Amino acid sequence: MESWPPGGSGPAEAGRRLRDLRGADLAASASLLSGAGAEAGCSAPAVAAVLPAGGSGERMGVPTPKQFCPILERPLISYTLQALERVSWIKDIVVAVTGENMEAMKCIIQRYQHKGISLVESGVTRHRSIFNGLKALAEDQPNCRLSKPEVVIIHDAVRPFVEEDVLLKVVTAAKEHGHNACEVFTCPEDGHLGFHVLAVVNNAAVNMEAAGAIRPLVSTVISPSVDGCLDHSLERARHRASEMPQAFLFDVIYEAYQQCSDYDLEFGTECLHLALKYCHIKAKLIEGSPDLWKVTYKRDLYAAESIIKERISQQICVVMDTKEDEEHVGHRLEEMLKNELNHVKVTSGRDLQQIILEQCYNFVRVNVMTSDFEETQKLLNMLEESNLSILYPVVVISDEQKLQESLRHGATIIAALIKERNSGLIGQLLVA
Amino acid sequence: MESWPPGGSGPAEAGRRLRDLRGADLAASASLLSGAGAEAGCSAPAVAAVLPAGGSGERMGVPTPKQFCPILERPLISYTLQALERVSWIKDIVVAVTGENMEAMKCIIQRYQHKGISLVESGVTRHRSIFNGLKALAEDQPNCRLSKPEVVIIHDAVRPFVEEDVLLKVVTAAKEHGHNACEVFTCPEDGHLGFHVLAVVNNAAVNMEAAGAIRPLVSTVISPSVDGCLDHSLERARHRASEMPQAFLFDVIYEAYQQCSDYDLEFGTECLHLALKYCHIKAKLIEGSPDLWKVTYKRDLYAAESIIKERISQQICVVMDTKEDEEHVGHRLEEMLKNELNHVKVTSGRDLQQIILEQCYNFVRVNVMTSDFEETQKLLNMLEESNLSILYPVVVISDEQKLQESLRHGATIIAALIKERNSGLIGQLLVA
């Protein structure tokens, strides 16, 4: 039996994996501890995230700022928030948006039922927006539900495919400060992130209080002269592109922003640089995956849409009238669909609510004996009431005498519709 | 009446625009010349292009090298070759491929009827592949149809969206050497590129014999220390990503490759750097468009596919039975389609061959009075025999009594099918 719901590389899956491995992690860390002979400690740091989202999107060449551009009718930033809020140990997410976009952002939070989000007004530059986000976290006010975290993640609203894995790596590296190396685990009770102090490292100060994701350079970087000619080119292998997420001990990065010059706030682009310049700390660089890239140009929106389409088109739930249909036609259709899609679930409807809760985005209703669409309408209503925004109701399979052939063709049509999500075909009768 | 065929930003259009403007250019250059009082000269340099295509595509994470990955069933490199061969003044294109892929490359050239392509075996690194391409151009052998060009363009097989505009800019800048500034034009007779020497520039040696496209950096570039921490970050505004195409006086870049060390051939990534290091020439940097980006990761293939889909879905040819149908139903459908697509042409079939020659990729056949599909089959045969690889035959409009409404819905379906190119729907009857 295949596991359900699927989603091998999704954030939710990463979370589950971590929790499943928790027992083994703890055992391993215990054995390491006894070997190293160091004092063991366990702390559960509060982790928050700041998302600057005040950009105007001028590079995109479209009037809508890129973080609000729709992908399959849902704004890009909503995918990023979803990726972050699925990580159980991120307690607060502070988003910095322009005053102009504040209401739109509130609507997005409500529409997609995002949780744990606070909004602050962005500044005129990226650094000023981040600073505003940090200020909101620093100010321990009675009426404010935010409290100062130990570690803060800084991420971009336009990097929607961030995985729990890399978030964990940057947070762990940022926490690996003072004299200690840590091992990380998630707490059984509340999903908090915990750290075991593993060992004193060489008795030397590591001073690692920041970390950020990097990627290899795709193009060689050059430096132009004032007259627009090549001055020199940089050795590609010795440089990296600094990406997001980054993580910092909160006090360190807040201090850096407070001390930072106006010039840096206006023209700087790199948070790790501020931490290094103003707080003299070392920043650990973590190799990230290609999916961390920043949605910058129109082509990046296309790429993001294709990636999302691919991810959500891998699973389908086939809803049959009766248990008998499920066993007869349903399972034969399942076999056909498995040639086209990774995860196929057939049900006669009892566990539908659960499947919707698990965020399956694709449903096919098959009527074998009846041409009564009342049950289909019920399914449509149920889906419309859910918060699955990327839905798309279609498909009738004409179940002819040549069942096998008909099912095979039906599976091809279903897969094609799911993969393309072509809304121009709603209401069409397609014949298998 | 709209111009036909369309394609505002396509390479073919750029070529036409250049030729159309030739008269005006010549007049302008004449007036400039008389103003400057310098001696006028006109030369028609031979321009060739070298395309290293020996990469293994390991960054893509797929077994097929990325230059051979299919986009809408056509290999990526074929789009790049198409973009280059549409430029009338590029006389030869030398492609460097591995011995292993030599036969596949020959098939691609034959299948897509590419002209003026020569193949050489690639080296183990990009620089060695380029060097092999240059050697093939340098060797003036009696049996070889290649001859040494004055200017050589170096481009990547995985940058399919290069425009004539930027090619012209890098070639012009590379030719702008010695003491002269030039103006460029295309010769009326043969489409050769010509240069008018405009003026002696300050009597100082410009020594510009190379030029390359650049783009702003998307991410900050950093330099890691040996222990994987941030050593320093580079000021983003002072650096650029070096992209392709680049152009060189042939003798200069060939000399540079001949003198170049094994280390540079193995580990170097930048041709402009070689020209600077070994021939001490200045390289002009030209701002390129975002579309110059290099297809590197799987997401870039998605983006390229979307861009190609968008480009080829902007035009459609509606084929009617008779002149009467064309005037009655055809033009009403045309109005509807114009809400969805940029360029709509209605014909009753006389000029079909011409439209196919002009590389329209989308055809709809409308039967008003008959349900006889003989003519439709003829159209399909004609299209299959053409070299339009990205075809996709579908669509029947059910012409009901409520003509207006039916046409509107038909236009929506047609546009959706064209934009998605969903082959799973071939043979379906869609009802408008």
Side-chain angles (χ1 to χ4, degrees), chain B residues 21 33 38 61 114 119 130 132 152 198 299 320-321 351 369 411 425:
Chain B
L21 289 171
L33 278 168
H114 292 300
L119 298 182
I130 295 170
N132 289 357
V152 63
L198 282 185
R299 68 166 188 265
M320 311 295 295
D321 274 332
D351 44 0
M369 297 304 288
L425 300 176

Side-chain angles (χ1 to χ4, degrees), chain A residues 22-131:
Chain A
R22 202 182 47 231
D25 280 349
L26 288 172
S29 81
S31 103
L32 274 167
L33 278 167
S34 59
E39 262 186 52
C42 173
S43 59
V47 180
V50 171
L51 245 74
S56 66
E58 58 194 37
R59 279 190 287 197
M60 187 80 87
V62 289
T64 309
K66 55 199 169 182
Q67 61 275 26
F68 298 114
C69 281
I71 297 185
L72 299 177
E73 295 174 29
R74 180 175 180 149
L76 181 58
I77 193 170
S78 174
Y79 293 97
T80 313
L81 291 176
Q82 192 181 38
L84 290 177
E85 71 195 357
R86 280 182 182 174
V87 178
S88 59
W89 44 265
I90 296 178
K91 292 303 163 202
D92 292 304
I93 302 169
V94 181
V95 182
V97 288
T98 60
E100 199 181 7
N101 290 320
M102 197 62 82
E103 278 311 305
M105 192 64 225
K106 283 179 188 164
C107 290
I108 292 168
I109 290 169
Q110 194 176 23
R111 169 76 184 84
Y112 300 103
Q113 300 175 30
H114 292 300
K115 305 273 183 258
I117 316 284
S118 301
L119 298 182
V120 298
E121 195 158 329
S122 58
V124 289
T125 64
R126 185 169 181 277
H127 271 330
R128 290 194 190 277
S129 294
I130 295 169
F131 195 10

Side-chain angles (χ1 to χ4, degrees), chain A residues 215 220 222 227-230 234 240 242 269 282-283 285 290 297 299 302 310 416 420 422 425 428 430-431, chain B residues 215 220 222 227-230 234 240 242 269 282-283 285 290 297 299 302 310 416 420 422 425 428 430-431:
Chain A
R215 287 285 307 155
T220 300
I222 53 119
D227 61 348
C229 291
L230 174 67
L234 278 63
R240 295 286 182 278
S242 172
T269 54
K282 286 182 88 166
L285 303 176
Y297 298 108
R299 68 165 188 265
Y302 289 146
E310 189 181 81
E420 304 285 5
N422 187 327
L425 300 176
Q428 288 292 321
L430 303 176
V431 181
Chain B
R215 288 286 307 155
T220 299
I222 54 117
D227 62 347
C229 291
L230 175 67
L234 277 64
R240 295 287 183 278
S242 172
T269 54
K282 286 182 88 165
L285 304 176
Y297 299 108
R299 68 166 188 265
Y302 289 146
E310 189 180 80
E420 304 285 5
N422 187 328
L425 300 176
Q428 289 291 322
L430 303 175
V431 181

Side-chain angles (χ1 to χ4, degrees), chain A residues 59 208 214-215 217-224 227-231 233-236 238-243 263 269-270 272-273 276 282-285 290 293-294 296-299 302-303 306-307 309-310 413 416 420 422 424-425 428-431, chain B residues 59 208 214-215 217-224 227-231 233-236 238-243 263 269-270 272-273 276 282-285 290 293-294 296-299 302-303 306-307 309-310 413 416 420 422 424-425 428-431:
Chain A
R59 279 190 287 197
M208 199 80 71
I214 53 166
R215 287 285 307 155
L217 292 177
V218 169
S219 302
T220 300
V221 172
I222 53 119
S223 174
D227 61 348
C229 291
L230 174 67
D231 187 78
S233 79
L234 278 63
E235 203 173 323
R236 204 198 289 179
R238 295 198 181 190
H239 293 83
R240 295 286 182 278
S242 172
E243 309 286 347
Y263 183 88
T269 54
E270 182 51 68
L272 295 178
H273 170 74
L276 180 68
K282 286 182 88 166
K284 184 75 183 169
L285 303 176
W293 106 103
K294 179 157 96 181
T296 308
Y297 298 108
K298 203 173 173 192
R299 68 165 188 265
Y302 289 146
S306 296
I307 291 171
K309 272 188 179 177
E310 189 181 81
I413 294 173
E420 304 285 5
N422 187 327
L425 300 176
Q428 288 292 321
L429 176 73
L430 303 176
V431 181
Chain B
R59 280 189 287 196
M208 201 78 74
I214 53 167
R215 288 286 307 155
L217 292 176
V218 169
S219 302
T220 299
V221 172
I222 54 117
S223 175
D227 62 347
C229 291
L230 175 67
D231 186 82
S233 78
L234 277 64
E235 204 174 322
R236 205 197 287 180
R238 294 199 181 191
H239 293 84
R240 295 287 183 278
S242 172
E243 308 287 346
Y263 183 88
T269 54
E270 181 52 68
L272 295 178
H273 170 74
L276 180 67
K282 286 182 88 165
K284 185 75 183 169
L285 304 176
W293 105 104
K294 178 156 96 183
T296 307
Y297 299 108
K298 204 172 172 193
R299 68 166 188 265
Y302 289 146
S306 297
I307 291 170
K309 272 187 179 178
E310 189 180 80
I413 294 173
E420 304 285 5
N422 187 328
L425 300 176
Q428 289 291 322
L429 177 73
L430 303 175
V431 181

Side-chain angles (χ1 to χ4, degrees), chain A residues 176-194:
Chain A
E176 215 172 83
H177 70 292
H179 297 253
N180 300 316
C182 304
E183 190 181 53
V184 78
F185 66 94
T186 45
C187 279
E189 293 76 23
D190 60 357
H192 251 98
L193 205 58

Side-chain angles (χ1 to χ4, degrees), chain A residues 128-166:
Chain A
R128 290 194 190 277
S129 294
I130 295 169
F131 195 10
N132 289 356
L134 295 175
K135 280 180 197 160
L137 286 167
E139 286 160 11
D140 252 335
Q141 290 165 2
N143 292 337
C144 178
R145 63 163 207 85
L146 293 172
S147 58
K148 198 181 84 166
E150 186 178 350
V151 177
V152 64
I153 293 167
I154 298 178
H155 190 59
D156 284 329
V158 291
R159 299 185 197 252
F161 303 114
V162 61
E163 302 271 355
E164 179 163 354
D165 178 50
V166 71

Side-chain angles (χ1 to χ4, degrees), chain A residues 303-348:
Chain A
E305 178 172 319
S306 296
I307 291 171
I308 291 167
K309 272 188 179 177
E310 189 181 81
R311 288 188 178 189
I312 66 178
S313 71
Q314 288 308 309
Q315 47 180 309
I316 188 170
C317 174
V318 181
V319 187
M320 313 293 297
D321 274 332
T322 63
K323 192 75 192 157
E324 289 68 43
D325 292 343
E326 184 182 332
E327 278 165 20
H328 176 56
V329 180
H331 286 294
R332 287 167 78 175
L333 183 60
E334 185 178 358
E335 285 311 305
M336 305 292 175
L337 281 169
K338 278 184 177 169
N339 294 329
E340 314 261 357
L341 306 169
N342 285 350
H343 300 275
V344 185
K345 171 88 174 172
V346 178
T347 176
S348 46

